[in-house]
């Protein structure tokens, strides 16, 4: 545990941790308390997109460029435990991401449960779980792609497109569920769990692959 | 002037990520065009993506400034205060004129599904916010390389309000802009002029300041061999 935090803090400095781990999630819960009751299920969806944007743009400040072929791993390459530590740092980041998203969305779900919502309680719990699975999976896939980009203008432009594509996907899901009643939420929970597994695999595997590649001679 | 323009284009070649800049500039331009042609005044996002290639010109020149050779050369000041503007401002003005003419045409000829007055209001609102967006992004592009975090916070607050107002379908807002078409066009042009002048002034004021580490962190890491 101590090692995990130590390695994680190599990439994520104090200001980043305070802003991304404390300030913005607190702001999200604050926004949610204002929204809840007015927008019903859409308010949970807005917070889900908010967490996705936070995860994507927050990643720029810590792991930016880690998948790009020119990335220099510095001292990680000079130690015997370099690969292990890099893996630990990324896995810790993924665990942090899952816990953060779960924490914020579960609190938001609990607020909806305690309010006079039109949805039944089982439905709210299921919707919260689906959104947690979706946000984590989408976030992991988006950042795995964006970690190839080192220039921030291009990063921002591409991030907007990817976030809007995934956001549109989940909004269509919610629209079909609550406007036309044609979607089975349990099936989608399974689909999103598969998305989580793929996302986690990509997020962890790609930097390690890049790390291994950094020892090889570059083709001219 | 023409000689400097050619030099500015030649210097683009020497930046470390020229290929990805070129590819993504093209992609963003196409996305911007797509939003612009399909949205027809509904969405302000078209303008943002049409402006993205200009910010990549900026990025190209500013990342070249990390090189020691440029730092010690006489062209150091020009690399930040002159050459990027030679490419960006003509490009942005060209984009702005095209957007302006297109929406002016839509305002005069009307759109299917909208009454004449509502369409007039939508186009008027679009032109106003497009000018505001362009002006803000121009100044932000310069300041972000020197004060990244502060400029991003300011940009997020300003841009989000512009985007939300630009996307708003409030009848009050649309009828207000419909009544003041001439004023909104005039303000749009004023915003663009302020943006261009502000960007040049900020570049001259801030060029002695070091480039912010966070803005070029990814590139710096990948070049630090």
């Amino acid at each position: 545990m101590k090692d995990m935090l130590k390695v994680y803090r190599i990439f994520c400095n104090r200001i980043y941790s305070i802003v991304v781990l404390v300030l913005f999630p607190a702001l999200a819960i604050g926004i949610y308390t204002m929204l809840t009751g007015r927008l019903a299920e859409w308010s949970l969806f807005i917070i889900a997109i908010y967490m996705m944007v936070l995860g994507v743009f927050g990643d720029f400040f810590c792991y930016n460029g880690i998948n790009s072929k020119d990335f220099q791993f510095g001292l990680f390459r000079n130690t015997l435990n370099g690969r292990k530590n890099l893996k630990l740092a990324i896995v810790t980041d993924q665990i942090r991401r899952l816990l953060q998203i779960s924490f914020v969305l579960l609190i938001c779900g609990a607020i909806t449960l305690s309010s006079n919502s039109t949805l039944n309680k089982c439905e709210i719990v299921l919707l919260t779980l689906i959104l947690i699975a979706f946000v984590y999976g989408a976030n992991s896939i988006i950042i795995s792609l964006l970690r190839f980009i080192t220039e921030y203008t291009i990063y921002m432009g591409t991030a907007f497109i990817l976030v809007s594509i995934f956001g549109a996907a989940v909004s269509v899901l919610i629209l079909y569920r609550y406007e036309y009643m044609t979607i089975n939420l349990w099936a989608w929970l399974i689909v999103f769990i598969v998305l989580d597994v793929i996302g986690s695999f990509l997020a962890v595997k790609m930097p390690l692959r890049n790390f291994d590649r950094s020892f090889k001679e570059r083709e001219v | 002037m023409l000689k400097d323009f050619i030099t500015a284009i030649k210097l683009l070649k020497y930046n470390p990520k020229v290929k990805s800049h070129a590819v993504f500039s093209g992609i963003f331009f196409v996305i911007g065009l797509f939003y612009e042609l399909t949205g027809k005044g509904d969405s302000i996002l078209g303008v943002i993506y049409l402006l993205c290639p200009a910010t990549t010109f900026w990025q190209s020149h500013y990342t070249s400034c990390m090189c020691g050779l440029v730092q010690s050369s006489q062209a150091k000041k020009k690399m930040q205060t002159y050459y990027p503007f030679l490419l960006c401002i003509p490009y942005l003005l060209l984009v702005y004129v095209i957007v302006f003419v297109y929406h002016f045409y839509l305002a005069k000829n009307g759109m299917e599904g909208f009454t004449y007055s509502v369409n007039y209001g939508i186009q008027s609102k679009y032109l106003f916010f497009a000018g505001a967006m362009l002006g803000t992004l121009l100044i932000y592009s310069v300041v972000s390389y020197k004060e990244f975090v502060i400029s991003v916070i300011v940009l997020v607050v300003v841009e989000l309000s512009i985007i939300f107002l630009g996307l708003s379908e409030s009848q009050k807002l649309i009828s207000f802009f419909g009544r003041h078409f001439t004023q909104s066009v005039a303000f749009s042009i004023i915003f663009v002029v302020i943006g261009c002048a502000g960007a040049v002034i900020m570049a001259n004021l801030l060029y002695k300041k070091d480039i912010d580490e966070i803005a070029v962190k990814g590139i710096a890491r990948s070049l630090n061999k």
Side-chain angles (χ1 to χ4, degrees):
Chain A
M1 184 70 183
K2 204 178 170 186
D3 280 351
M4 278 173 104
L5 287 176
K6 223 183 230 178
V7 178
Y8 175 70
R9 287 293 298 279
I10 290 173
F11 287 96
C12 308
N13 60 25
R14 190 175 295 148
I15 297 171
Y16 168 84
S17 304
I18 291 170
V19 173
V20 174
L21 300 186
V22 183
L23 218 63
F24 278 105
L27 195 66
I29 296 167
I31 291 170
Y32 188 77
T33 46
M34 288 194 294
L35 288 177
T36 190
R38 293 183 194 174
L39 295 165
E41 61 273 7
W42 287 104
S43 51
L44 261 177
F45 161 73
I46 288 169
I47 295 302
I49 298 294
Y50 175 96
M51 291 309 291
M52 203 153 80
V53 173
L54 175 64
V56 170
F57 287 97
D59 196 70
F60 176 79
F61 296 93
C62 46
Y63 291 94
N64 176 234
I66 202 167
N67 289 352
S68 73
K69 64 177 177 185
D70 294 324
F71 191 84
Q72 297 300 302
F73 289 91
L75 277 174
F76 279 110
R77 296 193 340 152
N78 299 352
T79 58
L80 279 175
N81 290 332
R83 195 178 192 279
K84 198 182 115 193
N85 284 339
L86 184 68
K87 191 177 177 182
L88 202 60
I90 295 159
V91 170
T92 312
D93 186 55
Q94 288 301 109
I95 295 169
R96 189 272 304 165
R97 192 181 312 285
L98 182 61
L99 290 178
Q100 188 188 17
I101 291 165
S102 308
F103 180 74
V104 172
L105 285 176
L106 283 175
I107 287 182
C108 294
I111 293 170
T112 314
L113 274 177
S114 60
S115 67
N116 300 323
S117 175
T118 49
L119 302 171
N120 67 44
K121 290 187 176 179
C122 183
E123 181 97 22
I124 293 169
V125 173
L126 193 58
L127 188 67
T128 312
L129 288 178
I130 280 185
L131 285 177
I132 289 170
F134 171 76
V135 174
Y136 174 75
N139 222 326
S140 304
I141 290 175
I142 293 172
I143 59 163
S144 314
L145 297 174
L146 289 177
R147 280 172 181 173
F148 282 99
I149 298 169
T150 46
E151 303 89 332
Y152 89 92
T153 47
I154 297 174
Y155 187 97
M156 300 293 170
T158 319
F160 269 127
I161 300 167
L162 292 174
V163 168
S164 54
I165 289 170
F166 278 93
V170 78
S171 62
V172 167
L173 168 95
I174 290 185
L175 183 75
Y176 270 82
R177 173 68 189 168
Y178 295 104
E179 295 295 322
Y180 308 118
M181 297 288 173
T182 52
I183 280 180
N184 181 7
L185 287 180
W186 285 104
W188 280 97
L189 183 61
I190 295 165
V191 170
F192 289 145
I193 288 170
V194 173
L195 190 79
D196 289 355
V197 175
I198 295 169
S200 306
F201 179 78
L202 286 176
V204 177
K205 205 72 186 167
M206 279 183 170
L208 291 178
R209 194 170 147 264
N210 194 31
F211 181 75
D212 294 338
R213 191 172 58 182
S214 71
F215 288 97
K216 294 175 186 168
E217 276 191 21
R218 191 181 293 179
E219 290 169 16
V220 181
Chain B
M1 187 80 168
L2 187 67
K3 206 177 166 187
D4 288 338
F5 186 78
I6 294 165
T7 316
I9 291 173
K10 274 184 185 170
L11 283 168
L12 281 179
K13 279 196 299 187
Y14 300 111
N15 94 80
K17 298 275 179 183
V18 63
K19 275 183 197 167
S20 68
H21 282 179
V23 170
F24 278 98
S25 296
I27 293 171
F28 290 150
F29 186 80
V30 171
I31 291 170
L33 219 55
F34 174 76
Y35 270 125
E36 195 63 27
L37 294 175
T38 53
K40 290 185 178 175
D42 268 354
S43 160
I44 198 88
L45 295 172
V47 175
I48 301 180
Y49 277 102
L50 282 175
L51 295 182
C52 273
T55 53
T56 55
F57 292 145
W58 235 296
Q59 178 123 31
S60 301
H61 281 106
Y62 271 74
T63 45
S64 300
C65 291
M66 290 191 306
C67 171
L69 209 62
V70 176
Q71 287 290 324
S72 58
S73 81
Q74 289 179 335
K76 184 196 166 189
K77 188 181 176 185
K78 276 188 172 180
M79 283 293 282
Q80 293 187 18
T81 58
Y82 185 54
Y83 290 134
F85 293 103
L86 279 181
L87 297 174
C88 290
I89 290 181
Y91 169 79
L92 288 175
L93 291 180
L94 187 71
V95 164
Y96 182 72
V97 168
I98 292 169
V99 169
F100 188 89
V101 170
Y102 177 61
H103 286 278
F104 206 77
Y105 171 80
L106 285 178
K108 290 288 167 199
N109 290 287
M111 272 198 305
E112 268 182 44
F114 292 100
T115 59
Y116 185 78
S117 60
V118 170
N119 176 46
Y120 207 62
I122 289 173
Q123 304 309 334
S124 165
K125 181 174 74 112
Y126 188 89
L127 285 173
F128 179 82
F129 287 117
M133 180 82 79
L134 202 146
T136 321
L137 276 176
L138 264 167
I139 297 174
Y140 162 76
S141 304
V142 175
V143 182
S144 65
Y145 288 97
K146 306 293 180 175
E147 287 290 348
F148 187 74
V149 176
I150 295 169
S151 63
V152 166
I153 293 168
V154 174
L155 180 88
V156 167
V157 174
V158 176
E159 289 291 282
L160 278 185
S161 46
I162 291 176
I163 290 172
F164 278 117
L165 285 171
L167 290 173
S168 165
E169 290 176 357
S170 152
Q171 289 305 318
K172 274 185 187 171
L173 201 68
I174 290 171
S175 64
F176 173 80
F177 277 105
R179 274 182 274 123
H180 301 93
F181 190 82
T182 326
Q183 285 92 328
S184 76
V185 168
F187 267 107
S188 175
I189 295 167
I190 289 169
F191 281 136
V192 175
V193 173
I194 289 174
C196 293
V200 175
I201 291 166
M202 290 310 275
N204 278 287
L205 280 176
L206 295 172
Y207 91 94
K208 279 185 181 169
K209 209 171 157 36
D210 287 338
I211 291 175
D212 200 325
E213 226 176 79
I214 306 167
V216 289
K217 198 161 88 177
I219 300 173
R221 268 185 194 165
S222 65
L223 295 177
N224 187 19
K225 290 170 187 170

